[in-house]
Amino acid sequence: MSKLPATLFCALALGLLSPYTSAASDMAISEDAQSTLSETEAQQIFDYAYPLVIMKISQDLMFTVPIRERSVPNHFIHFKRLAMPQNRAVVLGNRNTLYSVGWIDLSKGPVVFEIPDMGDRYYVMPLLDAWTNTFKSFGSRTTGQKAQKYFIVDSNWTGEVPEGYEKVISPTNMVWITGRIQADSPQDAVTAGKLQDAYKLMTYAQYLGGDDPFSGYQPEYEAMQVGKPVPYSLKMSAEKFYDSFFRMWSTNASPEIDSSMIQILEKAGIQRATTRSFADLSTSVQEALHAGLQTKQAKYIKDFYDGTSQTEAWIFNRERMGTWGTDFERRTYWAMWGLGANLVEDAVYGVSQLDETLTPLNGSNVYRMHFAAGELPPTSAFWSVTNYDEEGYLEANEYNRYSLGSNHPLKYNNDGSLDFYLSNIKPNIEDVNWVPAPKANFKTLLRIYWPDQKILQGEWALPPLTRVEDGE
């Protein structure tokens, strides 16, 4: 197992007060009373804040991409084509499923969500809160294939649930539905797209025949301004980063288990009820947060591009994905590597940018991924291999081919084993199982949907990535 970097919604009054803040501490703390943050505490605060910031950036980016009509909260954005190189809103885009993305805002009331009868097609619809915790997951594994109706509310809502709907309580006002529906090819995506069109997502006000209360939504970030979310977030100034965090935090409460971090923030005069601007903090706190942000950004940029966090050829997480607890550094790391990752019961991911000798993968070389006979990924759904550039995006190739897996025709060896080859130029091998790679350094991702308990219990190992000579 690779070593990674270490690390109820309780609305009070108008929903703006932290459940950990006493009446006395609700008052603004004077600069003289503020304690200087340690270097470690300042870095911890960056990790703590990062999910809210990257979620806000990612949401607004999807709303404002110039290639389609602008969107607003509480409506699905359906991606009717499998991920392509020009898709930059989410890292590690999937070539085996279509995405149906819904950014929910519960600040103006409940939201209605409906799933049609899915037949025999695999799908998963996780619901993430603003802190990137998956608090609910609908899909083939959990709720089955029949039609379903849900009424999503925040924990402060006390009204009646419409007949035929199941109430779902969200810990935060922001909810991200990261729906995936199986599509084995561009042709199959057309059929899957018809099911996407049958999903329903709208505010309760619209359900009752009223107007959309978010029709005038104004994004904080624009796609043309941001470009790629993760690189952008790792270059933000301390002022912009923390101003965005404070705005998001004011409407998305911290989980109860975060009380220790809340105490660190309050020691520095940072309170959910009152803090709205980085400029309002004391000079010493601003300097500490600025230094902590720069240190963390530099570290994560190096990790993101160089793979320095890997001590083995694969990073493979069988435990606790999507429910992060207080492991804030790990939560931040995975928000950069793959924002919106599923629960491990729904999907596991093996990701690497190093071969078995811990040398960076480079498209000028040829690599073999060897599955021994009887050692294919055990799954109740499907698995696939996809290659990405250093930043986690697909790189265009003349074959328009970006993924290979169990839902594709494969050539097996005489002994029942299976070899995949990863390289930029197609290897000189007859009927080769080839996954094209970017020209320069790249990452490879092995996705396994609905993994067997053998995987989750650590009884199955990922295949080695071996550099070979062309033709081997």
Side-chain angles (χ1 to χ4, degrees), residues 1 9 12 25 50 57 81 111 147 153 196 226 238 252 254 295-296 301 317 348 351 368 389 401 410 412 453:
M1 186 72 176
F9 182 76
L12 305 175
S25 63
Y50 190 83
I57 294 171
R81 298 175 62 191
V111 166
V153 303
Q196 287 180 297
V226 170
N252 294 280
S254 299
T295 298
K296 278 291 185 174
I301 287 172
N317 288 273
V348 291
V351 63
R368 180 170 57 216
D389 66 20
R401 181 176 183 177
L410 302 174
Y412 290 82
Q453 284 298 313

Side-chain angles (χ1 to χ4, degrees), residues 59 132 138 413 472:
Q59 173 196 263
T132 72
F138 307 117
N413 301 321
E472 283 190 28

